[in-house]
Amino acid sequence: MLAVKTDKLTKNYGDFKALDGLELQVIKGEIYGLLGPNGAGKTTAIKVLVGLLKKTSGTAQVLDAEIPNKQIASNIGFMPQETAMYIGLTVHQNMEFFGKLFGMSKEQIAIKEAELLKFVDLEDWKDELVQNLSGGMKHRVSLACTLIHEPDVLFLDEPTVGVDPKLRANFWKYFNKLKENGTTVIITTHYMDEARNCDRVGFMRQGKLIAEGIPYEIMKDTGTDNLEDAFLHYATIGETSDGRMPDGGGVE
Amino acid sequence: MDIGRILAVSKRVFIDLKNDKRSLALIIIAPLFSMAVFGLAFSGEVENIGVIIVNHDNGMDIPVVGNIDFADQVIDNIDHDTLDIQESDDLATAIDSLEAGDAWAVIYFSENYTANTMASIIPFTNASSEIELYIDMSNVNLAEAIIIEVNSALMATMEENGGSLPVTVERTEVYGQNAEFMDFFVPGIVSFAVYLFTTLLTLMAFIGERVSGTLSRVLATPLRESEIVSGYALTFSIVGTLQSIFMIVVGILAFDVMIEGNILLVFAVVALLAIVCQALGILLSSFAQREAQAAQFLPLIVMPAFLLSGVFWPLEAIPAWLRPASYFVPPSYSITAARSVMIRGWGLDMIWMDMVALVIFALVLLALAVISLKKKG
Ligand SMILES: Nc1ncnc2c1ncn2[C@@H]1O[C@H](COP(=O)(O)OP(=O)(O)OP(=O)(O)O)[C@@H](O)[C@H]1O
Ligand SMILES: [Mg+2]
């Protein structure tokens, strides 16, 4: 019942190990929060899982298929950390384009587009060029494009950056709704208040998963009463003077 | 490959071009501008070249016929629009003016010009007659025009007198009767413009896709690399064809360029060229990290085509050792083919070699473009 499973997954950039034996297991239908300091390897992990980067060694499966695998691409939704929208196209034209890439008909796209634009509160901006939208608005369009084909597994790389608190609350309502419909959500974020909404969180550092559990347990384990302090705990634990982890510092 | 996804990419590229006023201007205004500039500058003949004639010829009295004066006849036969003639009595003064830059040439007829000419017609004499030409070669085009003009005036004079030169050149124009510079230039500039703008626009569009992250985003969907390249190829072959139609229509209306053959062949060749160029643009984009770097590719794209495609001057005008390099410049094939169709009226049976060359270029570059997109970090 795993949506994502990696085993000793590594990804090297030259000599640098961006992923260093990552063991990640995401259960189908859960919202999994991937946390960790800048440069921990969260984005790298997601890019390997959606087939954009070649892994160096180890294995990785998404929906029981060894990746990379184009066959499962239509069941996956990927929202990159950068906005990555066609800014010379309108909101509608972007959504239509992504819908078509997934083989959707015009009617299917129209129905889904109306629903998603309502959810991201951009109905009035449908025919505006994306380049004329604010940063947060672009992010909302980006999310809407990721959701257009109703994927089974969602990889969201910092989807709520620059999104105002009211809309962020909306986003989480929507993620929970998706979850009820059986969608698996893997999400990265630096907002610890929203990480609390995850079913489980995993804490990454230097390409490894060093802690994992339901948010409540994580706080208990670290003797803190909020995730912010837990984050600080894991981000500095065992740090040597050069800022690197001592060998074998990984915790399973 | 899925045709629906190819069409989706193609449509998206179209919309992007349409919404971007800058690229629209690049596609339409720039070629028009270059045609206007070159058309106006080159299509006219050289005129009003200042020359000084010093005529000392005494002529010759011949019984019954009377006095004949060949120098006067030659001068009469000179086209006075081409050469702006001043007369002078003194050779030294005339040469002074030439050296002062007041004229481009001095044409001198000696006292015995007619007499010598008569003598030279008689067999078995060693007599010769000469027109002496003092000429400023600092402007080669003008100097050549003067020499040609004097020679043709001389020949016309010989013919008028019933004499003909011992050796003559009989000219039959096999192709391109009355062809002018623009007839040569328009088929060339069409391909050149399509080459330049297609390569540049795809290069910029693709660097944009890489930098903004849209490229990796769409590659995480079912869309395949080959489908992206096909979508771009479809759009740019259509845009290239539209661009060439537009330029040729302007060429016909403004410069009355000749179209002897089937113009559809020209469009087919240009569409092929556009496919080659968009693949080239995609390929080049993989060597750029930032949008600003597109500018660094400009000389690399422009210079070889400018020098080696034959658009502005014939390939025969470049050194022989450099000529084979033109085989690697795709627009040279479409320029040759388009000229052959428009001026010579050639058909597919004659230009198929050029088309095959473009098809080979297209296949190789398309494959390389797909491979460059598949390369993952
Ligand atoms: N193309 C690349 N070449 C070399 N190193 C890279 C490349 N991409 C990422 N890295 C390195 O890999 C490490 C992990 O980067 P990654 O983007 O996965 O971090 P992250 O956890 O997503 O960080 P953030 O929270 O800032 O988004 C970083 O140290 C980064 O410098
Ligand atoms: Mg990241």
Side-chain angles (χ1 to χ4, degrees):
Chain A
M1 287 305 276
L2 292 179
V4 174
K5 181 179 190 314
T6 73
D7 190 26
K8 299 192 187 70
L9 184 64
T10 63
K11 169 67 197 173
N12 295 359
Y13 290 112
D15 289 339
F16 179 75
K17 291 189 168 106
L19 294 182
D20 188 8
L22 181 68
E23 309 274 344
L24 189 66
Q25 301 193 345
V26 179
I27 300 162
K28 265 186 194 155
E30 74 173 335
I31 300 181
Y32 188 96
L34 207 50
L35 311 181
N38 291 139
K42 306 179 293 295
T43 298
T44 306
I46 287 180
K47 283 193 172 169
V48 169
L49 290 171
V50 299
L52 290 177
L53 288 174
K54 252 200 326 244
K55 62 179 191 254
T56 305
S57 66
T59 61
Q61 284 125 31
V62 176
L63 294 172
D64 299 323
E66 190 65 32
I67 53 106
N69 186 334
K70 264 292 187 204
Q71 246 70 59
I72 55 159
S74 55
N75 303 321
I76 286 179
F78 165 55
M79 177 178 173
Q81 187 168 355
E82 63 273 35
T83 311
M85 288 281 91
Y86 289 101
I87 58 170
L89 269 62
T90 65
V91 172
H92 163 70
Q93 287 163 342
N94 266 287
M95 298 198 68
E96 191 177 49
F97 173 63
F98 280 98
K100 280 190 192 157
L101 293 188
F102 289 99
M104 296 169 73
S105 70
K106 267 206 153 73
E107 295 72 35
Q108 288 172 313
I109 294 174
I111 294 168
K112 200 67 201 169
E113 182 185 351
E115 177 201 321
L116 287 168
L117 285 181
K118 187 161 180 230
F119 147 59
V120 295
D121 199 14
L122 286 175
E123 289 153 302
D124 296 342
W125 298 81
K126 188 176 173 208
D127 293 313
E128 188 66 50
L129 291 182
V130 170
Q131 65 193 13
N132 298 337
L133 303 186
S134 76
M137 285 171 158
K138 283 181 189 147
H139 240 77
R140 280 142 60 187
V141 184
S142 176
L143 178 61
C145 287
T146 302
L147 298 172
I148 188 120
H149 61 295
E150 301 183 341
D152 297 331
V153 183
L154 263 177
F155 293 93
L156 307 175
D157 202 351
E158 302 194 21
T160 55
V161 165
V163 175
D164 67 56
K166 179 167 161 267
L167 269 162
R168 249 201 291 160
N170 272 356
F171 275 24
W172 277 94
K173 246 189 254 163
Y174 198 85
F175 296 156
N176 278 310
K177 201 177 112 191
L178 289 173
K179 180 189 145 183
E180 276 162 29
N181 295 336
T183 309
T184 311
V185 183
I186 293 107
I187 184 168
T188 76
T189 179
H190 290 294
Y191 301 120
M192 291 306 127
D193 54 333
E194 63 181 38
R196 287 175 75 137
N197 298 324
C198 297
D199 296 316
R200 289 192 306 147
V201 294
F203 199 91
M204 275 187 80
R205 196 167 150 203
Q206 292 178 354
K208 293 187 182 72
L209 200 65
I210 60 170
E212 187 178 61
I214 58 175
Y216 167 76
E217 278 175 357
I218 292 265
M219 288 186 272
K220 211 173 76 183
D221 287 352
T222 53
T224 56
D225 61 358
N226 61 61
L227 272 178
E228 196 87 31
D229 290 337
F231 183 103
L232 290 173
H233 171 81
Y234 284 123
T236 51
I237 186 174
E239 196 163 63
T240 54
S241 55
D242 64 355
R244 296 200 163 268
M245 293 274 291
D247 279 347
V251 184
E252 208 12 283
Chain B
M1 292 230 271
D2 177 281
I3 190 77
R5 292 196 292 262
I6 294 175
L7 290 176
V9 172
S10 172
K11 183 179 171 192
R12 201 221 87 221
V13 180
F14 256 122
I15 298 174
D16 238 346
L17 284 177
K18 200 187 72 189
N19 287 353
D20 183 9
K21 302 290 169 286
R22 244 181 353 164
S23 32
L24 264 189
L26 215 60
I27 292 173
I28 293 175
I29 296 173
L32 264 194
F33 181 73
S34 64
M35 263 165 80
V37 167
F38 284 98
L40 295 177
F42 285 108
S43 64
E45 310 270 302
V46 251
E47 278 180 355
N48 299 328
I49 312 169
V51 299
I52 302 171
I53 291 180
V54 182
N55 184 2
H56 288 172
D57 188 11
N58 292 328
M60 194 177 181
D61 284 319
I62 293 178
V64 186
V65 183
N67 181 280
I68 57 169
D69 187 323
F70 282 146
D72 278 348
Q73 290 185 32
V74 173
I75 295 167
D76 281 347
N77 279 325
I78 288 175
D79 180 357
H80 288 238
D81 288 330
T82 309
L83 300 189
D84 182 12
I85 296 172
Q86 269 179 285
E87 309 238 355
S88 168
D89 290 333
D90 182 41
L91 181 59
T93 330
I95 289 175
D96 282 345
S97 301
L98 175 66
E99 284 173 352
D102 296 335
W104 289 100
V106 172
I107 303 167
Y108 174 64
F109 296 90
S110 67
E111 289 85 345
N112 300 323
Y113 180 68
T114 302
N116 285 345
T117 305
M118 290 306 286
S120 72
I121 293 170
I122 300 165
F124 311 119
T125 60
N126 278 331
S128 69
S129 85
E130 274 160 2
I131 298 174
E132 287 174 39
L133 193 60
Y134 301 84
I135 195 158
D136 177 356
M137 292 294 286
S138 64
N139 188 320
V140 179
N141 278 343
L142 294 185
E144 273 171 4
I146 294 170
I147 293 168
I148 289 171
E149 194 53 47
V150 173
N151 273 324
S152 61
L154 187 59
M155 276 209 276
T157 308
M158 297 301 279
E159 271 168 33
E160 278 170 15
N161 288 286
S164 60
L165 291 178
V167 181
T168 59
V169 175
E170 172 72 24
R171 182 165 82 170
T172 306
E173 295 180 343
V174 180
Y175 291 122
Q177 280 85 350
N178 305 319
E180 286 176 12
F181 178 77
M182 283 312 268
D183 297 308
F184 165 85
F185 186 65
V186 168
I189 195 71
V190 167
S191 294
F192 190 72
V194 167
Y195 162 77
L196 207 57
F197 298 124
T198 308
T199 311
L200 271 182
L201 286 175
T202 30
L203 175 63
M204 292 195 302
F206 248 80
I207 295 178
E209 287 227 38
R210 285 173 193 276
V211 172
S212 71
T214 49
L215 181 61
S216 41
R217 181 171 199 156
V218 295
L219 284 175
T221 74
L223 186 65
R224 289 173 187 279
E225 293 83 356
S226 53
E227 293 163 349
I228 300 183
V229 175
S230 307
Y232 265 83
L234 182 59
T235 298
F236 276 101
S237 58
I238 294 171
V239 170
T241 308
L242 292 177
Q243 202 185 354
S244 61
I245 290 175
F246 174 71
M247 290 179 75
I248 286 172
V249 167
V250 172
I252 293 171
L253 295 181
F255 301 103
D256 194 25
V257 297
M258 58 171 68
I259 296 173
E260 297 292 317
N262 185 349
I263 196 69
L264 293 179
L265 266 180
V266 175
F267 297 145
V269 167
V270 169
L272 262 180
L273 177 70
I275 292 174
V276 172
C277 296
Q278 63 86 27
L280 182 66
I282 295 174
L283 196 56
L284 287 178
S285 78
S286 62
F287 300 104
Q289 266 85 46
R290 284 172 290 112
E291 241 141 356
Q293 287 178 335
Q296 293 168 6
F297 286 96
L298 205 55
L300 196 71
I301 295 168
V302 177
M303 289 318 282
F306 184 80
L307 295 172
L308 297 172
S309 70
V311 58
F312 295 105
W313 48 77
L315 289 179
E316 284 75 4
I318 55 176
W321 60 268
L322 197 57
R323 263 176 245 166
S326 75
Y327 291 127
F328 298 98
V329 180
S332 65
Y333 298 97
S334 64
I335 290 173
T336 312
R339 275 190 191 136
S340 296
V341 172
M342 287 174 68
I343 307 179
R344 291 168 165 162
W346 283 5
L348 193 58
D349 54 326
M350 299 291 278
I351 63 160
W352 66 273
M353 288 271 284
D354 292 305
M355 293 187 84
V356 166
L358 284 173
V359 168
I360 292 172
F361 261 102
L363 292 178
V364 171
L365 287 173
L366 286 171
L368 289 176
V370 171
I371 291 169
S372 77
L373 291 182
K374 281 198 165 160
K375 210 173 59 189
K376 287 182 189 145

